[in-house]
Amino acid sequence: MRRRCENGVIWLTAAFFVMFIIIAAHYFTICFEQKYSSSAAERSEFTISAGESQGTIYDRNMQPLNNTGHVWKAVAVPRALDRETTARYAIDAKDFEEKFDKGDPFIFRCRSDTPESDGLTVFRLPERYSGRGTANHVLGYVSGDEGVSGVEYAYDRLLRGSDGENSVTYSIDGFGRVLIGDGKKVRRSSADESGVVTTIDSEIQSICERCGSNIGRGAIVVADISSGDILSMASFPDYSPNCLDTALNDERCPLIDRCLYSYGVGSIFKLVTACEAIDEGDGGYKYDCRGRIDVDGQNFNCHKLAGHGIQTMSRAMTNSCNTYFISLSRELDAAAFRETAYRLGFGKENYLCSGIIGSAGVLPTDRELKVPAELANFSFGQGKLTATPLQITQLCCAIANDGEMPALRIIRGLTIDGKSVAGEKFLQSSRAMDIRTAGLLRQMMISAVRDNPESKARSEIVAAGAKTSTAQTGRLDKKGEELCHAWITGFFPADKPRYAVTVLVEDGGYGNDSAAPVFRAIAENITRHFPEK
């Protein structure tokens, strides 16, 4: 009996112990499930960016010069999508499938017709540089996330502001799972509508790049003669912002903007010599060119060794007679002559914006011009004198614009909507020469084209005035012949000048052979295709 009681106590104790274990296990299960449910109920947010939109650089007519192409990107949540159906819209199917199989939200390049859903958000993003592009030296380029040159550099902060993000924000539970059907916040940036408005005319820029495509190294500048707006600024060779490594390894140095660099000027400077002579009352000066002239014991040759004979100023300009202008310079006040050159923009920088500044070049000092040989060289654009295509264009503007010389500009202002211009830069100009003087020089330039049967600037489509140069460099080619830069600057139409055009061909030889045909092609194309401009 006693043993039975003991066994009963043992079984009863065991029963209570089992019941305790069961109750405790149930209690802990309930606690764990409550904790699990609490964690799952906790929500936070997860944001995935599809890319940044950057401000646009526009031409004068509000046509984008960059951001011209677009790409489509989609933000995908795999567990909310059908793999095969969505894969049809992927540009890179293999990349899409690898990302999809990982199960996490991801981004992929997609087609423009990709449909959106709760688990798929599609963005149309501007492509900074696409295709060949135009005005690349003006626009500049970006490295990393910073502008390095051109307008990209000058307006870096404005073009890459803080509101360019394109993104999707999802709600997620405590375990990081995207909550589909709980809504999503989509941010689509319009930052690419804002930006910088330039004076470049993209159509004229394209004409210049096409007409100058055979220029190995050189530059073309086209400006509105009354406003000073630069309509085209093309440097050769060109480069692609998407292929900077190629440009850096190119021995022709395509990253250099040759519109901003100074070169020996040559005979174009005879226009300045003539300007000073007319102002001093020597516009009627005559000289008998015999092919060379002695200057303080040093001989200077004319390009026509047999001589041009009796030359008036207009005839000497047409014939580009060196000895005439050397002789003429002896009659001038050297200090006043230099001051006239300075007033016409020589020796001064052309500041267009912080990323685009034309060199001041070299303007000989008063002391240097007291040396007879230096003054002789100066009179026909040789010696120490150097200038940029911008400065030569500005000189041409002054002559074609009745002596009023506009300050060149390449920035019109800013825009916030891609439609209107705010903060437009004020036009500036200065009286560079007398109206009568400008008129006489203009007629000389017209005669240099019209009355010269050998002029390759002459066109049957549009009349123009121009002056060529063959600027000596002092360097020799492999044959031992001196290399010369070929220049031309001119305006058209001749009767009512609107455009000033300067063409430089480095080591191009004679201006009439290398630069004049390019000038003529530009004038004809603008006149033919844009008669309303």
Side-chain angles (χ1 to χ4, degrees), residues 4 7 14 70 132 150 163 170 180 197 212 244 258 278 295 303 317 323 344 366 410 488 510 513 518:
R4 271 196 241 164
N7 288 338
H70 292 85
R132 176 180 173 274
D163 59 347
Y170 296 99
I180 298 299
V197 183
L244 293 179
R258 288 169 166 81
I278 294 170
V295 177
H303 67 87
M317 192 69 73
T323 59
L344 288 168
D366 287 334
I410 204 164
I488 188 171
Y510 292 105
D513 291 337
V518 178

Side-chain angles (χ1 to χ4, degrees), residues 343-411:
R343 188 172 68 249
L344 288 168
F346 293 87
K348 298 178 184 178
E349 287 185 342
N350 285 108
Y351 183 91
L352 302 180
C353 63
S354 61
I356 308 176
I357 304 173
S359 167
V362 176
L363 180 63
T365 65
D366 287 334
R367 183 175 181 179
E368 288 170 332
L369 292 180
K370 289 180 180 179
V371 178
E374 192 61 48
L375 179 61
N377 273 318
F378 187 63
S379 70
F380 65 107
Q382 295 292 163
K384 297 179 179 180
L385 177 72
T386 63
T388 66
L390 290 176
Q391 290 168 312
I392 299 302
T393 303
Q394 200 166 29
L395 166 65
C396 188
C397 285
I399 294 171
N401 195 38
D402 289 331
E404 193 73 16
M405 186 172 72
L408 299 180
R409 70 170 188 169
I410 204 164
I411 303 297

Side-chain angles (χ1 to χ4, degrees), residues 65-70 127-134 240-242:
L65 294 172
N66 60 3
N67 287 345
T68 55
H70 292 85
E127 193 172 24
R128 196 74 181 157
Y129 308 114
S130 57
R132 176 180 173 274
T134 188
S240 169
N242 292 320

